[in-house]
Amino acid sequence: MTRRLTVHDLLSQKGSRKWQQLHVDTPAEAAAAVACDIVILSCEPDHNLELIRAAAPHAFLSVGMPHGAVASPDEAVRRGFAMMSRGADAVYCSHSPRFIEAMAAEGIPVTGHVGLVPNRATWTNFRAIGKTAEEALKVLRAVKDLENAGAACIEVEVVPVRLADHITRTTPLFTMGMGCGAVCDTQYLFSSDVLGTHTGHYPRHARRYADFVALEAELQAKRIAAFQAFASDVAEGSYPEAGHQVEMDDAAFERFLTLSQSL
């Protein structure tokens, strides 16, 4: 697109288009995403936010409000407006619906979250949510609460495919699906999982398309080799050479010594 995506654009195409979505950590990742026509992004509200916005000027950017960063709906509104002024198109919020309702009432687009919500995983553990009828009903009730609060988008994470499909078909919200098949309005992954930037556990729904851990190890080895070569050259006197420095002719230096006597 030649202009920035809006909530209206996403909602008006609900059900007619499948979007790709990435959570990005750096401006380079944002630029790489939009180069591939991945134009729905999310990120954290850290020092990279403005740089990510600049790297992806036309993308729809949902920016996370850290859980617990606000303690009242009024604080949520102030924080939400601040994030919008920094470049957010929507504010991700895993707080209760009363926080979301306050922001939505002021025209701040909000992304809610149902299913496996990491910020609330102490109540569920990290597992699929909604495999029983009773638990699926709780997920759907949470969706309705977010609808009533005025949210614009909703992240649906690690719920059964049939439940995610039901939610997507019956809610007016724009659904962002992670770990629940291919039935939501977006197919959503974290760039760290796609790029393989970390060791340890990867979620079942992730797929690594690169091994940045190995690439970073190779880069680190090259850094160490280069630094060691520099240190050795300095110790042996082979750096700096004549071409690395600036000389002063004899006459100029003698005049400098004379002038320096007046100091």
Side-chain angles (χ1 to χ4, degrees):
M1 294 189 66
T2 57
R3 62 171 176 80
R4 195 153 138 188
L5 277 173
T6 65
V7 166
H8 181 270
D9 294 326
L10 301 185
L11 294 177
S12 65
Q13 296 185 58
K14 180 177 171 64
S16 64
R17 176 175 176 178
K18 178 70 66 176
W19 303 79
Q20 296 84 36
Q21 180 177 0
L22 285 170
H23 182 95
V24 297
D25 296 314
T26 66
E29 291 179 357
V34 296
C36 303
D37 293 326
I38 300 173
V39 290
I40 300 182
L41 306 176
S42 65
C43 71
E44 300 302 319
D46 58 18
H47 64 283
N48 278 319
L49 172 53
E50 286 85 355
L51 297 175
I52 288 172
R53 175 80 277 170
H58 300 142
F60 183 87
L61 187 58
S62 181
V63 181
M65 178 180 290
H67 196 75
V70 294
S72 71
D74 285 345
E75 288 182 8
V77 170
R78 282 193 292 271
R79 179 68 68 94
F81 276 131
M83 291 163 64
M84 295 289 286
S85 71
R86 296 179 62 198
D89 296 301
V91 174
Y92 166 88
C93 181
S94 58
H95 293 71
S96 69
R98 66 192 183 99
F99 290 78
I100 293 171
E101 185 175 15
M103 287 188 283
E106 299 303 329
I108 299 171
V110 180
T111 300
H113 197 165
V114 297
L116 174 57
V117 183
N119 292 322
R120 297 181 175 181
T122 190
W123 297 98
T124 62
N125 287 338
F126 286 88
R127 60 175 177 84
I129 306 297
K131 293 177 70 174
T132 67
E134 293 76 16
E135 195 169 64
L137 187 62
K138 289 182 180 179
V139 174
L140 185 60
R141 185 176 293 117
V143 173
K144 298 301 180 183
D145 289 343
L146 291 170
E147 289 177 12
N148 293 332
C153 308
I154 184 169
E155 182 177 341
V156 183
E157 183 171 353
V158 194
V159 306
V161 175
R162 296 174 74 177
L163 175 57
D165 184 46
H166 178 83
I167 291 169
T168 299
R169 286 188 291 103
T170 59
T171 185
L173 304 181
F174 187 78
T175 61
M176 300 169 166
M178 181 180 291
C180 51
V183 296
C184 292
D185 295 312
T186 78
Q187 188 63 63
Y188 184 19
L189 279 179
F190 276 66
S191 63
S192 57
D193 292 335
V194 173
L195 298 176
T197 61
H198 56 94
T199 58
H201 175 72
Y202 279 77
R204 177 174 57 185
H205 58 263
R207 176 181 287 182
R208 277 175 279 184
Y209 290 85
D211 188 352
F212 272 45
V213 169
L215 290 173
E216 181 57 38
E218 182 180 349
L219 284 173
Q220 183 69 357
K222 291 182 181 296
R223 290 187 189 100
I224 292 171
F227 292 166
Q228 184 59 57
F230 163 68
S232 296
D233 282 353
V234 172
E236 296 168 2
S238 59
Y239 177 86
E241 298 174 336
H244 298 123
Q245 56 199 30
V246 178
E247 298 296 344
M248 188 178 190
D249 64 42
D250 292 345
F253 186 67
E254 289 299 326
R255 176 164 171 74
F256 157 72
L257 290 176
T258 299
L259 293 173
S260 70
Q261 299 302 314
S262 63
L263 296 180

